[in-house]
Amino acid sequence: MVQKMGQCYKVSVIGGGTAGLVAARELQREGHHVTVFEKANRVGGTWLYDPRVETDPLGIDPNREIVHTSLYKSLRVNLPRQVMGFLDYPFLKKDGGDPRHFPGHQEVLRFLEDFARDFGLMELIRFEHEVVRVELVDEASHEWVVESRTRTTESKWESKEEIFEAVVICNGKSTEPKIAEFSGRDIWPGLQMHSHNYRTPQQFENKTVVLIGNGPSAVDILREIAPLAKQVHQAVRGPNFKLKRLEKHDNAWQHSMIECAHKDGKLVFQDGSIVYADVIIHCTGYKYHFPFLKSNGIVTVDDNRVGPLYKHVFPPSLAPWLSFVGLNYKAVPAITIELQAKWVAKVVSGKLGLPTQAAMTYSVEEFYREMERKGWPKHHTHNLLYNEFEYIEWVARELDIRPPNWWKNITYESHVKMLRYYGSEYRDAWDIDEWMLEMNSPNFSTP
Ligand code: FAD
């Protein structure tokens, strides 16, 4: 298909979470005809708390009924609201809402619902429509068939196929659990679950619980269950983690990773320590999963690398007609998603160009080679921990946008604060209003 500058296309967006809503807004702004498919009956994605958990608490049974969100009931955001809004639509405190800088999850849902309403996005969304197939039907014209299904009765589904000229995939990245590997895992007799299926602490009362991981969920869950549990043991990968009691808890210890598990309930850690536990909670992150995407092997997921993708967004040979928004992690989601969505919308309408297919492919391969040189494992492909600012600034330059300085300062400071105040105290300890006043003073030096 010959792409003409400023032309409008029929575009399908898969998912009505943050990424899908922002993509829909940007595509609509460019004049495209947008249809958003959302399998839930509301917008919000991750932020739509669901008290249900999956039938397989570890989340490995492919036939389990999937619950999309991984939120636990008490979750408060781990980034200040100042960086959770969008460039022209800040995440402001509202009457009757949760005024904290790090509010509870309900406040984020309200913000996203307001965003969708304020930009007229609700009308674009087909709720309770799950996409089951996205397939390129005509390479020359880049026509995609999107097959969706909707429930008509408890046991009956109705399917429909529609043709679109472009597809933007925004189905989220925190639903398909990744679990820790260790010898004896499958014969260990206790309850094993993934943090995806953790909601409230009550079931851990008087239990000995081993938590695997050291990310925000592990830290939050540890803090929440320690007051009720008999003992909590946190297993952390890496050479720096050895047996020690955790500060602020009488009944919680940190260990190195689990070496092996035994039939009698014994867990042996790599540091030689031994614990008999009732429960293991894998707080070990998620896998990218696009069960609906039939791309003839052009886009694959290999060891959590979705590729090949130019700048984490466009598969070179299918660009700009297929794109992904929101794959990156260890980066501030809102701005990353917003800039990616703007980029996709403008590239689809031909207002911004992409390099040639060969040049994009070379860029992806060069990125993989650079990862190898630096010793970064493949599964860190979409991790922006070390190049968040560089990436954001690159996309912003493509768009001729300059992200405000305060954004960079708060992001940098958020990461520092989280390290400085281990656990959740940083959420209330950090007086951001005061800090922003200082930041705006002439004496403030940027990082
Ligand atoms: P999602 O929010 O997951 O949305 C994907 C949507 O796609 C869902 O609505 C889903 O129903 C829909 N969908 C999926 N498959 C299909 C299909 N086949 N057909 C139709 N619809 C489909 N970010 C922050 O900025 N601050 C935080 O404090 C923070 N805390 C987090 C805590 C947890 C526990 C988790 C898991 C994530 C957290 N995040 C946080 C990251 C958060 O996920 C992102 O900010 C953002 O919400 C991701 O949006 P998304 O649209 O990419 O994905």
Side-chain angles (χ1 to χ4, degrees):
M1 184 191 278
V2 180
Q3 200 183 358
K4 290 188 199 129
M5 164 110 161
Q7 183 148 341
C8 304
Y9 294 98
K10 207 177 156 206
V11 186
S12 154
V13 173
I14 303 180
T18 309
L21 293 175
V22 177
R25 180 195 176 199
E26 297 300 336
L27 288 158
Q28 191 185 42
R29 257 215 264 229
E30 284 296 310
H32 299 296
H33 309 291
V34 184
T35 304
V36 180
F37 290 91
E38 170 49 60
K39 66 179 178 182
N41 59 4
R42 283 172 76 176
V43 298
T46 286
W47 299 101
L48 200 50
Y49 175 73
D50 190 338
R52 294 175 310 147
V53 293
E54 296 178 351
T55 38
D56 171 13
L58 206 45
I60 49 180
D61 176 1
N63 299 318
R64 71 197 188 280
E65 188 161 343
I66 294 182
V67 174
H68 183 80
T69 187
S70 304
L71 287 192
Y72 26 96
K73 196 173 179 192
S74 65
L75 185 133
R76 281 177 70 184
V77 299
N78 58 22
L79 286 168
R81 63 193 311 146
Q82 284 83 348
V83 289
M84 285 188 62
F86 306 113
L87 293 172
D88 62 351
Y89 193 89
F91 184 14
L92 299 174
K93 299 172 189 182
K94 285 201 175 160
D95 286 349
D98 179 343
R100 295 174 294 181
H101 290 305
F102 293 80
H105 57 83
Q106 301 86 344
E107 181 81 352
V108 186
L109 180 62
R110 264 193 296 268
F111 167 70
L112 291 173
E113 285 176 338
D114 288 348
F115 177 86
R117 260 185 234 111
D118 288 350
F119 294 112
L121 306 177
M122 292 295 191
E123 295 86 85
L124 309 179
I125 305 174
R126 300 250 186 97
F127 288 107
E128 295 182 314
H129 277 69
E130 180 184 7
V131 170
V132 291
R133 183 165 61 102
V134 170
E135 191 169 8
L136 184 62
V137 277
D138 187 321
E139 283 209 24
S141 64
H142 282 279
E143 281 187 348
W144 297 86
V145 64
V146 173
E147 181 182 347
S148 61
R149 62 172 195 167
T150 186
R151 222 185 255 277
T152 48
T153 66
E154 189 54 38
S155 58
K156 265 188 138 178
W157 294 84
E158 195 177 87
S159 294
K160 193 174 169 192
E161 288 185 2
E162 282 158 274
I163 299 291
F164 291 88
E165 290 155 303
V167 177
V168 186
I169 298 184
C170 305
N171 66 325
K173 57 179 188 312
S174 311
T175 296
E176 191 69 17
K178 196 160 71 183
I179 56 171
E181 303 286 340
F182 48 85
S183 132
R185 190 190 69 199
D186 299 337
I187 54 157
W188 192 74
L191 167 69
Q192 290 194 61
M193 59 184 279
H194 190 276
S195 54
H196 176 66
N197 288 309
Y198 173 85
R199 297 291 180 266
T200 52
Q202 285 73 24
Q203 76 177 108
F204 305 102
E205 193 166 355
N206 292 325
K207 298 274 195 284
T208 296
V209 181
V210 171
L211 282 166
I212 307 177
N214 198 27
S217 298
V219 172
D220 277 354
I221 295 173
L222 189 149
R223 210 158 259 282
E224 186 162 83
I225 63 177
L228 282 104
K230 190 160 140 198
Q231 293 183 351
V232 185
H233 300 266
Q234 185 187 15
V236 190
R237 205 169 40 186
N240 302 329
F241 297 98
K242 301 214 166 57
L243 180 61
K244 68 166 189 192
R245 197 170 65 75
L246 287 170
E247 273 174 47
K248 301 179 195 145
H249 299 284
D250 297 330
N251 63 342
W253 290 266
Q254 190 178 74
H255 303 252
S256 55
M257 197 34 207
I258 298 172
E259 173 79 36
C260 57
H262 295 260
K263 264 192 185 146
D264 60 357
K266 182 163 74 177
L267 293 170
V268 182
F269 296 85
Q270 285 166 354
D271 56 25
S273 52
I274 290 175
V275 166
Y276 284 84
D278 304 299
V279 185
I280 299 175
I281 310 181
H282 295 243
C283 305
T284 38
Y286 297 89
K287 296 192 276 201
Y288 296 103
H289 193 49
F290 310 102
F292 48 81
L293 182 60
K294 313 282 176 244
S295 73
N296 278 336
I298 295 176
V299 182
T300 59
V301 183
D302 175 16
D303 193 14
N304 242 16
R305 167 181 285 173
V306 187
L309 290 184
Y310 177 60
K311 303 286 180 190
H312 309 284
V313 173
F314 292 110
S317 65
L318 301 171
W321 313 113
L322 183 69
S323 56
F324 293 77
V325 172
L327 291 190
N328 296 101
Y329 60 97
K330 300 245 166 111
V332 172
I335 194 157
T336 316
I337 286 172
E338 185 179 7
L339 294 185
Q340 289 177 336
K342 284 180 190 293
W343 189 38
V344 166
K346 288 204 184 293
V347 170
V348 169
S349 55
K351 289 189 185 156
L352 287 177
L354 288 174
T356 61
Q357 184 182 326
M360 286 192 278
T361 305
Y362 180 81
S363 159
V364 178
E365 286 165 357
E366 191 47 37
F367 172 55
Y368 293 167
R369 280 191 289 272
E370 188 192 330
M371 284 188 67
E372 249 175 75
R373 279 196 296 274
K374 289 180 172 163
W376 292 351
K378 196 185 267 184
H379 64 263
H380 282 189
T381 298
H382 307 293
N383 177 344
L384 287 184
L385 181 64
Y386 300 111
N387 49 8
E388 175 176 9
F389 293 143
E390 190 187 319
Y391 178 76
I392 293 295
E393 281 162 7
W394 184 90
V395 189
R397 264 198 312 279
E398 288 295 292
L399 292 160
D400 205 15
I401 289 177
R402 200 169 175 273
N405 258 343
W406 57 257
W407 167 79
K408 194 168 172 179
N409 291 330
I410 296 179
T411 302
Y412 175 81
E413 193 72 7
S414 300
H415 298 327
V416 174
K417 294 273 171 194
M418 285 201 229
L419 293 175
R420 203 178 292 155
Y421 302 98
Y422 176 76
S424 62
E425 277 92 348
Y426 69 88
R427 292 180 170 103
D428 295 314
W430 185 11
D431 184 345
I432 302 190
D433 288 335
E434 179 70 19
W435 180 81
M436 281 183 87
L437 280 176
E438 277 172 39
M439 194 178 73
N440 290 327
S441 86
N443 300 328
F444 188 88
S445 64
T446 51

